[in-house]
Amino acid sequence: MDESTTTLALAIGARVKQERQSRGWTLDQLAESAGVSRRMVVNVEQGAANPSVGTLLRISDALGVGLPALVESPRPKPVKVTRSGEGAALWIGESGGRGVLVAGTESPDVVELWDWTLGAGDRHVSEAHTSGTKELLQVQQGTVTVEIAGQSVSLDAGDAVTFPGDVAHSYANPGTEPARFSLAVFEPGVGTGHRPEVSDA
């Protein structure tokens, strides 16, 4: 992990531990509620892991705080500004792509705003989010192929798509040039349900 990734991992770990302890939960209780292994919770809290976005979503849902709360300061502010370059890079692609969470609201009805770049050939696979989740995506540059529950949609710059986020989906760049898109995710009722058991991969 590079320095910024390490700093982010430590900040997320501290926030997870703070939220878990404020509820009086053991490591095992959080692991069971989130549907991840105890070892994964320990690694996240120690900042020793670079967990997948899916793992972070399961942990944030179990804590009832939403993913944005894990990567932001716990002090609520009526106006929160994220300057260019300050977003939380939660995914790094093999070809240099990045998934950056740039803004988000608090639970229970969480809205996340992402800035995604996909290098040539990059692909990000996302597991199904909680029931009722919706995603809105607009391509800013290049071509992006979105697969939603087996249906494939090809989008060029300026094109947009709305789809259910509570089914398996993926974003891919089939081209030879970088692609960029904005993504908004609406996840209602964070913390009111549980995700199915899945691996920590």
Side-chain angles (χ1 to χ4, degrees):
M1 291 191 291
D2 62 27
E3 186 176 338
S4 64
T5 304
T6 300
T7 301
L8 178 60
L10 289 170
I12 290 171
R15 186 68 195 273
V16 168
K17 187 173 184 177
Q18 172 195 356
E19 291 291 340
R20 176 181 62 79
Q21 290 177 338
S22 73
R23 287 159 178 73
W25 287 7
T26 65
L27 290 164
D28 289 325
Q29 286 172 312
L30 176 55
E32 181 180 345
S33 181
V36 299
S37 69
R38 181 181 193 278
R39 170 57 37 207
M40 178 55 72
V41 174
V42 170
N43 287 344
V44 168
E45 287 193 0
Q46 292 176 346
N50 186 13
S52 69
V53 174
T55 296
L56 290 176
L57 279 168
R58 289 192 298 278
I59 290 172
S60 64
D61 280 2
L63 292 169
V65 297
L67 183 57
L70 290 187
V71 298
E72 293 178 355
S73 150
R75 297 176 301 279
K77 298 176 184 174
V79 177
K80 169 80 169 85
V81 177
T82 304
R83 299 288 180 199
S84 179
E86 292 181 351
L90 298 179
W91 177 80
I92 306 293
E94 292 181 8
S95 298
R98 291 164 55 93
V100 181
L101 180 61
V102 294
T105 62
E106 296 178 4
S107 61
D109 295 324
V110 175
V111 179
E112 302 166 4
L113 181 62
W114 293 78
D115 181 14
W116 282 83
T117 55
L118 296 174
D122 264 342
R123 182 170 187 255
H124 172 72
V125 178
S126 181
E127 63 192 47
H129 305 309
T130 54
S131 181
T133 298
K134 305 286 186 213
E135 299 198 14
L136 298 89
L137 180 155
Q138 184 181 30
V139 178
Q140 307 299 319
Q141 171 189 342
T143 299
V144 175
T145 300
V146 183
E147 288 190 19
I148 307 113
Q151 178 184 355
S152 182
V153 178
S154 181
L155 304 168
D156 294 319
D159 293 344
V161 65
T162 303
F163 60 93
D166 54 7
V167 295
H169 52 282
S170 67
Y171 326 107
N173 176 1
T176 57
E177 297 296 321
R180 184 173 184 180
F181 63 92
S182 295
L183 177 71
V185 180
F186 170 67
E187 191 174 13
V190 169
T192 59
H194 301 293
R195 293 179 183 280
E197 181 77 33
V198 293
S199 71
D200 294 334

Short mmCIF file of all heavy atoms in Angstrom, two decimals, residues 46-112:
data_model
loop_
_atom_site.label_atom_id
_atom_site.label_comp_id
_atom_site.label_asym_id
_atom_site.label_seq_id
_atom_site.Cartn_x
_atom_site.Cartn_y
_atom_site.Cartn_z
N GLN A 46 -7.02 -2.58 12.34
CA GLN A 46 -5.59 -2.30 12.51
C GLN A 46 -5.01 -1.55 11.32
O GLN A 46 -3.85 -1.16 11.33
CB GLN A 46 -4.82 -3.61 12.71
CG GLN A 46 -5.13 -4.29 14.03
CD GLN A 46 -4.43 -5.64 14.16
OE1 GLN A 46 -3.91 -6.20 13.20
NE2 GLN A 46 -4.41 -6.15 15.38
N GLY A 47 -5.83 -1.32 10.28
CA GLY A 47 -5.34 -0.65 9.08
C GLY A 47 -4.38 -1.52 8.30
O GLY A 47 -3.63 -1.04 7.46
N ALA A 48 -4.40 -2.84 8.58
CA ALA A 48 -3.46 -3.76 7.95
C ALA A 48 -4.01 -4.30 6.64
O ALA A 48 -3.29 -4.95 5.89
CB ALA A 48 -3.17 -4.93 8.89
N ALA A 49 -5.29 -4.05 6.36
CA ALA A 49 -5.91 -4.59 5.15
C ALA A 49 -6.31 -3.47 4.23
O ALA A 49 -6.56 -2.35 4.66
CB ALA A 49 -7.15 -5.42 5.53
N ASN A 50 -6.36 -3.77 2.94
CA ASN A 50 -6.93 -2.87 1.96
C ASN A 50 -8.21 -3.57 1.49
O ASN A 50 -8.22 -4.20 0.44
CB ASN A 50 -5.96 -2.64 0.80
CG ASN A 50 -6.46 -1.59 -0.15
OD1 ASN A 50 -7.40 -0.87 0.13
ND2 ASN A 50 -5.82 -1.52 -1.31
N PRO A 51 -9.28 -3.49 2.31
CA PRO A 51 -10.48 -4.28 2.03
C PRO A 51 -11.19 -3.82 0.77
O PRO A 51 -11.07 -2.67 0.36
CB PRO A 51 -11.34 -4.06 3.27
CG PRO A 51 -10.90 -2.74 3.80
CD PRO A 51 -9.45 -2.63 3.48
N SER A 52 -11.95 -4.75 0.18
CA SER A 52 -12.73 -4.40 -1.00
C SER A 52 -13.84 -3.44 -0.61
O SER A 52 -14.22 -3.32 0.56
CB SER A 52 -13.34 -5.68 -1.60
OG SER A 52 -14.34 -6.19 -0.72
N VAL A 53 -14.38 -2.76 -1.61
CA VAL A 53 -15.51 -1.86 -1.37
C VAL A 53 -16.67 -2.66 -0.79
O VAL A 53 -17.37 -2.21 0.11
CB VAL A 53 -15.91 -1.13 -2.68
CG1 VAL A 53 -17.17 -0.31 -2.47
CG2 VAL A 53 -14.78 -0.24 -3.17
N GLY A 54 -16.87 -3.89 -1.30
CA GLY A 54 -17.96 -4.73 -0.79
C GLY A 54 -17.82 -5.02 0.69
O GLY A 54 -18.79 -4.98 1.44
N THR A 55 -16.59 -5.32 1.13
CA THR A 55 -16.35 -5.58 2.55
C THR A 55 -16.63 -4.33 3.38
O THR A 55 -17.28 -4.40 4.43
CB THR A 55 -14.90 -6.05 2.78
OG1 THR A 55 -14.72 -7.30 2.11
CG2 THR A 55 -14.59 -6.23 4.26
N LEU A 56 -16.18 -3.18 2.91
CA LEU A 56 -16.44 -1.93 3.64
C LEU A 56 -17.93 -1.63 3.70
O LEU A 56 -18.43 -1.14 4.73
CB LEU A 56 -15.68 -0.77 3.00
CG LEU A 56 -14.17 -0.79 3.15
CD1 LEU A 56 -13.54 0.36 2.40
CD2 LEU A 56 -13.76 -0.75 4.62
N LEU A 57 -18.65 -1.92 2.62
CA LEU A 57 -20.10 -1.71 2.63
C LEU A 57 -20.78 -2.60 3.66
O LEU A 57 -21.67 -2.15 4.40
CB LEU A 57 -20.69 -1.99 1.24
CG LEU A 57 -20.55 -0.87 0.22
CD1 LEU A 57 -20.90 -1.38 -1.17
CD2 LEU A 57 -21.45 0.29 0.58
N ARG A 58 -20.36 -3.87 3.74
CA ARG A 58 -20.97 -4.78 4.71
C ARG A 58 -20.70 -4.31 6.14
O ARG A 58 -21.59 -4.34 7.00
CB ARG A 58 -20.46 -6.21 4.50
CG ARG A 58 -21.01 -6.84 3.23
CD ARG A 58 -20.75 -8.33 3.15
NE ARG A 58 -19.34 -8.67 3.14
CZ ARG A 58 -18.56 -8.65 2.07
NH1 ARG A 58 -19.05 -8.28 0.91
NH2 ARG A 58 -17.30 -8.99 2.15
N ILE A 59 -19.47 -3.85 6.41
CA ILE A 59 -19.13 -3.39 7.75
C ILE A 59 -19.88 -2.10 8.09
O ILE A 59 -20.44 -1.96 9.18
CB ILE A 59 -17.60 -3.21 7.89
CG1 ILE A 59 -16.91 -4.58 7.87
CG2 ILE A 59 -17.25 -2.45 9.17
CD1 ILE A 59 -15.39 -4.52 7.80
N SER A 60 -19.92 -1.16 7.14
CA SER A 60 -20.62 0.10 7.41
C SER A 60 -22.11 -0.12 7.60
O SER A 60 -22.74 0.50 8.46
CB SER A 60 -20.35 1.14 6.31
OG SER A 60 -20.88 0.72 5.07
N ASP A 61 -22.70 -1.03 6.82
CA ASP A 61 -24.12 -1.35 6.99
C ASP A 61 -24.38 -1.97 8.35
O ASP A 61 -25.36 -1.64 9.02
CB ASP A 61 -24.60 -2.31 5.90
CG ASP A 61 -24.91 -1.61 4.59
OD1 ASP A 61 -24.72 -0.38 4.52
OD2 ASP A 61 -25.33 -2.29 3.64
N ALA A 62 -23.51 -2.89 8.75
CA ALA A 62 -23.69 -3.55 10.05
C ALA A 62 -23.63 -2.53 11.18
O ALA A 62 -24.37 -2.64 12.16
CB ALA A 62 -22.62 -4.63 10.25
N LEU A 63 -22.76 -1.54 11.03
CA LEU A 63 -22.64 -0.49 12.05
C LEU A 63 -23.74 0.55 11.92
O LEU A 63 -23.93 1.38 12.82
CB LEU A 63 -21.27 0.19 11.95
CG LEU A 63 -20.08 -0.68 12.32
CD1 LEU A 63 -18.76 0.01 11.93
CD2 LEU A 63 -20.08 -1.01 13.82
N GLY A 64 -24.46 0.54 10.80
CA GLY A 64 -25.55 1.48 10.59
C GLY A 64 -25.10 2.89 10.30
O GLY A 64 -25.82 3.84 10.57
N VAL A 65 -23.88 3.04 9.74
CA VAL A 65 -23.36 4.39 9.51
C VAL A 65 -23.21 4.75 8.04
O VAL A 65 -23.08 5.92 7.72
CB VAL A 65 -22.01 4.61 10.22
CG1 VAL A 65 -22.18 4.48 11.72
CG2 VAL A 65 -20.95 3.66 9.72
N GLY A 66 -23.20 3.80 7.15
CA GLY A 66 -23.00 4.11 5.74
C GLY A 66 -21.53 4.26 5.41
O GLY A 66 -20.73 4.69 6.24
N LEU A 67 -21.18 3.91 4.19
CA LEU A 67 -19.78 3.94 3.75
C LEU A 67 -19.14 5.33 3.86
O LEU A 67 -18.02 5.45 4.32
CB LEU A 67 -19.68 3.41 2.31
CG LEU A 67 -18.28 3.32 1.72
CD1 LEU A 67 -17.37 2.45 2.57
CD2 LEU A 67 -18.36 2.78 0.31
N PRO A 68 -19.83 6.43 3.47
CA PRO A 68 -19.18 7.74 3.59
C PRO A 68 -18.70 8.06 5.00
O PRO A 68 -17.66 8.68 5.18
CB PRO A 68 -20.27 8.72 3.13
CG PRO A 68 -21.11 7.92 2.20
CD PRO A 68 -21.13 6.53 2.80
N ALA A 69 -19.44 7.59 6.01
CA ALA A 69 -19.06 7.88 7.40
C ALA A 69 -17.74 7.21 7.79
O ALA A 69 -17.05 7.69 8.68
CB ALA A 69 -20.17 7.44 8.35
N LEU A 70 -17.39 6.11 7.13
CA LEU A 70 -16.13 5.43 7.46
C LEU A 70 -14.91 6.16 6.92
O LEU A 70 -13.82 5.98 7.43
CB LEU A 70 -16.12 4.00 6.92
CG LEU A 70 -17.05 2.99 7.58
CD1 LEU A 70 -16.77 1.60 7.03
CD2 LEU A 70 -16.95 3.01 9.08
N VAL A 71 -15.10 6.97 5.89
CA VAL A 71 -13.95 7.63 5.28
C VAL A 71 -13.90 9.14 5.57
O VAL A 71 -13.01 9.82 5.11
CB VAL A 71 -13.91 7.39 3.75
CG1 VAL A 71 -13.77 5.91 3.47
CG2 VAL A 71 -15.11 7.97 3.06
N GLU A 72 -14.87 9.62 6.35
CA GLU A 72 -14.89 11.04 6.71
C GLU A 72 -14.69 11.20 8.20
O GLU A 72 -14.88 10.29 8.98
CB GLU A 72 -16.25 11.66 6.34
CG GLU A 72 -16.50 11.73 4.86
CD GLU A 72 -17.88 12.30 4.55
OE1 GLU A 72 -18.66 12.55 5.49
OE2 GLU A 72 -18.17 12.48 3.36
N SER A 73 -14.36 12.41 8.59
CA SER A 73 -14.26 12.76 10.00
C SER A 73 -15.62 12.56 10.64
O SER A 73 -16.64 12.88 10.05
CB SER A 73 -13.82 14.22 10.10
OG SER A 73 -14.33 14.81 11.26
N PRO A 74 -15.68 12.06 11.90
CA PRO A 74 -16.96 11.80 12.55
C PRO A 74 -17.72 13.06 12.97
O PRO A 74 -18.83 12.98 13.43
CB PRO A 74 -16.59 10.96 13.77
CG PRO A 74 -15.16 11.25 14.03
CD PRO A 74 -14.55 11.59 12.71
N ARG A 75 -17.12 14.24 12.82
CA ARG A 75 -17.81 15.47 13.23
C ARG A 75 -18.79 15.90 12.14
O ARG A 75 -18.38 16.25 11.04
CB ARG A 75 -16.79 16.59 13.48
CG ARG A 75 -15.85 16.27 14.62
CD ARG A 75 -14.81 17.36 14.78
NE ARG A 75 -13.99 17.57 13.60
CZ ARG A 75 -12.95 16.83 13.26
NH1 ARG A 75 -12.60 15.81 14.00
NH2 ARG A 75 -12.25 17.09 12.17
N PRO A 76 -20.10 15.91 12.45
CA PRO A 76 -21.06 16.31 11.42
C PRO A 76 -20.94 17.81 11.13
O PRO A 76 -20.75 18.62 12.02
CB PRO A 76 -22.41 15.98 12.06
CG PRO A 76 -22.17 15.91 13.52
CD PRO A 76 -20.72 15.54 13.71
N LYS A 77 -21.04 18.13 9.85
CA LYS A 77 -20.99 19.53 9.43
C LYS A 77 -22.14 19.76 8.47
O LYS A 77 -22.44 18.90 7.64
CB LYS A 77 -19.67 19.82 8.70
CG LYS A 77 -18.44 19.62 9.55
CD LYS A 77 -17.19 19.82 8.71
CE LYS A 77 -15.95 19.53 9.53
NZ LYS A 77 -14.74 19.58 8.71
N PRO A 78 -22.80 20.93 8.55
CA PRO A 78 -23.90 21.17 7.63
C PRO A 78 -23.43 21.26 6.17
O PRO A 78 -24.14 20.90 5.26
CB PRO A 78 -24.50 22.49 8.10
CG PRO A 78 -23.46 23.12 8.97
CD PRO A 78 -22.60 22.02 9.50
N VAL A 79 -22.21 21.76 5.98
CA VAL A 79 -21.66 21.85 4.63
C VAL A 79 -20.30 21.16 4.65
O VAL A 79 -19.43 21.51 5.43
CB VAL A 79 -21.47 23.33 4.19
CG1 VAL A 79 -20.82 23.39 2.83
CG2 VAL A 79 -22.82 24.05 4.18
N LYS A 80 -20.14 20.17 3.80
CA LYS A 80 -18.89 19.42 3.73
C LYS A 80 -18.32 19.58 2.33
O LYS A 80 -18.96 19.19 1.35
CB LYS A 80 -19.16 17.94 4.04
CG LYS A 80 -18.01 17.00 3.76
CD LYS A 80 -16.97 17.02 4.85
CE LYS A 80 -15.97 15.90 4.71
NZ LYS A 80 -14.86 16.13 3.86
N VAL A 81 -17.16 20.17 2.24
CA VAL A 81 -16.50 20.38 0.95
C VAL A 81 -15.36 19.38 0.80
O VAL A 81 -14.54 19.22 1.70
CB VAL A 81 -15.94 21.82 0.84
CG1 VAL A 81 -15.18 22.00 -0.47
CG2 VAL A 81 -17.06 22.84 0.96
N THR A 82 -15.32 18.70 -0.33
CA THR A 82 -14.20 17.82 -0.66
C THR A 82 -13.47 18.47 -1.83
O THR A 82 -14.01 18.58 -2.93
CB THR A 82 -14.69 16.42 -1.07
OG1 THR A 82 -15.49 15.88 -0.02
CG2 THR A 82 -13.51 15.49 -1.33
N ARG A 83 -12.27 18.92 -1.57
CA ARG A 83 -11.48 19.57 -2.62
C ARG A 83 -10.91 18.53 -3.58
O ARG A 83 -10.76 17.35 -3.23
CB ARG A 83 -10.32 20.37 -2.00
CG ARG A 83 -10.76 21.48 -1.07
CD ARG A 83 -11.37 22.62 -1.82
NE ARG A 83 -11.79 23.68 -0.90
CZ ARG A 83 -12.65 24.62 -1.20
NH1 ARG A 83 -13.17 24.66 -2.42
NH2 ARG A 83 -12.99 25.53 -0.33
N SER A 84 -10.58 18.98 -4.78
CA SER A 84 -10.00 18.10 -5.79
C SER A 84 -8.80 17.35 -5.21
O SER A 84 -7.93 17.95 -4.59
CB SER A 84 -9.56 18.93 -7.00
OG SER A 84 -8.98 18.10 -7.97
N GLY A 85 -8.80 16.02 -5.37
CA GLY A 85 -7.71 15.20 -4.88
C GLY A 85 -7.88 14.71 -3.45
O GLY A 85 -7.06 13.94 -2.96
N GLU A 86 -8.94 15.17 -2.75
CA GLU A 86 -9.14 14.79 -1.34
C GLU A 86 -10.09 13.61 -1.16
O GLU A 86 -10.30 13.17 -0.03
CB GLU A 86 -9.67 15.98 -0.54
CG GLU A 86 -8.69 17.11 -0.37
CD GLU A 86 -9.26 18.27 0.45
OE1 GLU A 86 -10.48 18.27 0.75
OE2 GLU A 86 -8.48 19.17 0.79
N GLY A 87 -10.71 13.11 -2.22
CA GLY A 87 -11.63 12.00 -2.08
C GLY A 87 -10.91 10.73 -1.64
O GLY A 87 -9.69 10.62 -1.73
N ALA A 88 -11.68 9.77 -1.16
CA ALA A 88 -11.12 8.50 -0.68
C ALA A 88 -11.06 7.50 -1.82
O ALA A 88 -12.10 7.05 -2.32
CB ALA A 88 -11.98 7.95 0.46
N ALA A 89 -9.85 7.15 -2.27
CA ALA A 89 -9.67 6.16 -3.34
C ALA A 89 -9.87 4.77 -2.73
O ALA A 89 -9.00 4.26 -2.04
CB ALA A 89 -8.29 6.29 -3.96
N LEU A 90 -11.02 4.17 -3.00
CA LEU A 90 -11.36 2.88 -2.40
C LEU A 90 -11.17 1.70 -3.35
O LEU A 90 -11.37 0.56 -2.96
CB LEU A 90 -12.80 2.92 -1.88
CG LEU A 90 -13.06 3.96 -0.79
CD1 LEU A 90 -14.53 3.93 -0.37
CD2 LEU A 90 -12.17 3.71 0.42
N TRP A 91 -10.83 2.00 -4.60
CA TRP A 91 -10.55 0.93 -5.56
C TRP A 91 -9.46 1.40 -6.51
O TRP A 91 -9.49 2.53 -6.99
CB TRP A 91 -11.80 0.57 -6.36
CG TRP A 91 -11.57 -0.47 -7.41
CD1 TRP A 91 -11.51 -1.83 -7.22
CD2 TRP A 91 -11.35 -0.25 -8.82
NE1 TRP A 91 -11.27 -2.46 -8.42
CE2 TRP A 91 -11.17 -1.51 -9.42
CE3 TRP A 91 -11.29 0.88 -9.61
CZ2 TRP A 91 -10.93 -1.68 -10.77
CZ3 TRP A 91 -11.04 0.72 -10.97
CH2 TRP A 91 -10.87 -0.55 -11.55
N ILE A 92 -8.47 0.54 -6.75
CA ILE A 92 -7.41 0.81 -7.70
C ILE A 92 -7.41 -0.34 -8.71
O ILE A 92 -7.32 -1.51 -8.33
CB ILE A 92 -6.02 0.88 -7.02
CG1 ILE A 92 -6.01 1.89 -5.87
CG2 ILE A 92 -4.93 1.19 -8.05
CD1 ILE A 92 -6.16 3.33 -6.28
N GLY A 93 -7.51 0.00 -9.99
CA GLY A 93 -7.55 -1.02 -11.04
C GLY A 93 -6.17 -1.47 -11.47
O GLY A 93 -5.17 -0.78 -11.24
N GLU A 94 -6.12 -2.60 -12.13
CA GLU A 94 -4.85 -3.16 -12.61
C GLU A 94 -4.21 -2.29 -13.69
O GLU A 94 -3.01 -2.31 -13.89
CB GLU A 94 -5.06 -4.58 -13.14
CG GLU A 94 -5.40 -5.57 -12.06
CD GLU A 94 -5.59 -6.97 -12.59
OE1 GLU A 94 -5.31 -7.21 -13.79
OE2 GLU A 94 -6.01 -7.85 -11.82
N SER A 95 -5.04 -1.50 -14.41
CA SER A 95 -4.52 -0.65 -15.48
C SER A 95 -4.50 0.82 -15.08
O SER A 95 -4.49 1.71 -15.93
CB SER A 95 -5.37 -0.82 -16.75
OG SER A 95 -5.29 -2.15 -17.20
N GLY A 96 -4.53 1.08 -13.75
CA GLY A 96 -4.42 2.44 -13.27
C GLY A 96 -5.72 3.15 -12.97
O GLY A 96 -5.72 4.32 -12.60
N GLY A 97 -6.84 2.48 -13.14
CA GLY A 97 -8.12 3.09 -12.82
C GLY A 97 -8.28 3.31 -11.33
O GLY A 97 -7.56 2.72 -10.52
N ARG A 98 -9.23 4.19 -10.97
CA ARG A 98 -9.47 4.49 -9.55
C ARG A 98 -10.96 4.74 -9.32
O ARG A 98 -11.61 5.41 -10.13
CB ARG A 98 -8.72 5.75 -9.12
CG ARG A 98 -7.22 5.58 -9.08
CD ARG A 98 -6.47 6.90 -9.03
NE ARG A 98 -6.86 7.77 -7.93
CZ ARG A 98 -6.26 7.82 -6.74
NH1 ARG A 98 -5.24 7.02 -6.49
NH2 ARG A 98 -6.66 8.66 -5.83
N GLY A 99 -11.46 4.22 -8.22
CA GLY A 99 -12.81 4.53 -7.77
C GLY A 99 -12.68 5.40 -6.54
O GLY A 99 -12.20 4.95 -5.50
N VAL A 100 -13.06 6.67 -6.66
CA VAL A 100 -12.87 7.64 -5.58
C VAL A 100 -14.23 8.10 -5.04
O VAL A 100 -15.04 8.66 -5.79
CB VAL A 100 -12.06 8.87 -6.08
CG1 VAL A 100 -11.85 9.86 -4.95
CG2 VAL A 100 -10.72 8.42 -6.66
N LEU A 101 -14.46 7.87 -3.76
CA LEU A 101 -15.67 8.36 -3.09
C LEU A 101 -15.42 9.82 -2.74
O LEU A 101 -14.57 10.13 -1.92
CB LEU A 101 -15.95 7.53 -1.83
CG LEU A 101 -17.17 7.93 -1.02
CD1 LEU A 101 -18.45 7.79 -1.84
CD2 LEU A 101 -17.27 7.07 0.24
N VAL A 102 -16.14 10.73 -3.42
CA VAL A 102 -15.87 12.15 -3.23
C VAL A 102 -16.84 12.83 -2.28
O VAL A 102 -16.53 13.87 -1.71
CB VAL A 102 -15.83 12.92 -4.58
CG1 VAL A 102 -14.64 12.45 -5.41
CG2 VAL A 102 -17.11 12.76 -5.36
N ALA A 103 -18.03 12.27 -2.09
CA ALA A 103 -19.00 12.88 -1.18
C ALA A 103 -20.04 11.84 -0.80
O ALA A 103 -20.25 10.86 -1.51
CB ALA A 103 -19.67 14.09 -1.84
N GLY A 104 -20.70 12.08 0.33
CA GLY A 104 -21.74 11.17 0.75
C GLY A 104 -22.55 11.75 1.90
O GLY A 104 -22.11 12.68 2.58
N THR A 105 -23.74 11.20 2.07
CA THR A 105 -24.62 11.64 3.15
C THR A 105 -24.61 10.61 4.27
O THR A 105 -24.09 9.51 4.12
CB THR A 105 -26.06 11.84 2.65
OG1 THR A 105 -26.55 10.57 2.18
CG2 THR A 105 -26.11 12.86 1.51
N GLU A 106 -25.21 10.97 5.39
CA GLU A 106 -25.25 10.08 6.55
C GLU A 106 -26.43 9.12 6.46
O GLU A 106 -27.38 9.36 5.71
CB GLU A 106 -25.35 10.92 7.83
CG GLU A 106 -24.13 11.80 8.05
CD GLU A 106 -24.25 12.66 9.30
OE1 GLU A 106 -25.24 12.53 10.04
OE2 GLU A 106 -23.35 13.48 9.50
N SER A 107 -26.35 8.05 7.25
CA SER A 107 -27.42 7.07 7.29
C SER A 107 -28.65 7.69 7.96
O SER A 107 -28.51 8.70 8.63
CB SER A 107 -26.96 5.83 8.06
OG SER A 107 -26.62 6.17 9.38
N PRO A 108 -29.83 7.12 7.78
CA PRO A 108 -30.08 5.79 7.21
C PRO A 108 -30.20 5.76 5.69
O PRO A 108 -30.01 4.72 5.09
CB PRO A 108 -31.40 5.38 7.85
CG PRO A 108 -32.13 6.68 8.05
CD PRO A 108 -31.05 7.69 8.37
N ASP A 109 -30.56 6.87 5.04
CA ASP A 109 -30.68 6.87 3.59
C ASP A 109 -29.42 7.52 3.01
O ASP A 109 -29.31 8.74 2.96
CB ASP A 109 -31.94 7.60 3.14
CG ASP A 109 -33.20 6.88 3.59
OD1 ASP A 109 -33.19 5.63 3.62
OD2 ASP A 109 -34.19 7.55 3.92
N VAL A 110 -28.48 6.68 2.59
CA VAL A 110 -27.16 7.14 2.19
C VAL A 110 -27.10 7.37 0.67
O VAL A 110 -27.56 6.54 -0.11
CB VAL A 110 -26.08 6.11 2.60
CG1 VAL A 110 -24.71 6.51 2.08
CG2 VAL A 110 -26.05 5.97 4.12
N VAL A 111 -26.54 8.51 0.30
CA VAL A 111 -26.25 8.80 -1.10
C VAL A 111 -24.74 8.98 -1.20
O VAL A 111 -24.15 9.72 -0.42
CB VAL A 111 -26.97 10.07 -1.59
CG1 VAL A 111 -26.61 10.36 -3.05
CG2 VAL A 111 -28.48 9.95 -1.44
N GLU A 112 -24.13 8.28 -2.15
CA GLU A 112 -22.69 8.36 -2.37
C GLU A 112 -22.45 8.94 -3.76
O GLU A 112 -23.15 8.60 -4.71
CB GLU A 112 -22.04 6.97 -2.31
CG GLU A 112 -22.26 6.24 -1.01
CD GLU A 112 -21.91 4.77 -1.12
OE1 GLU A 112 -21.42 4.32 -2.19
OE2 GLU A 112 -22.13 4.04 -0.14
#
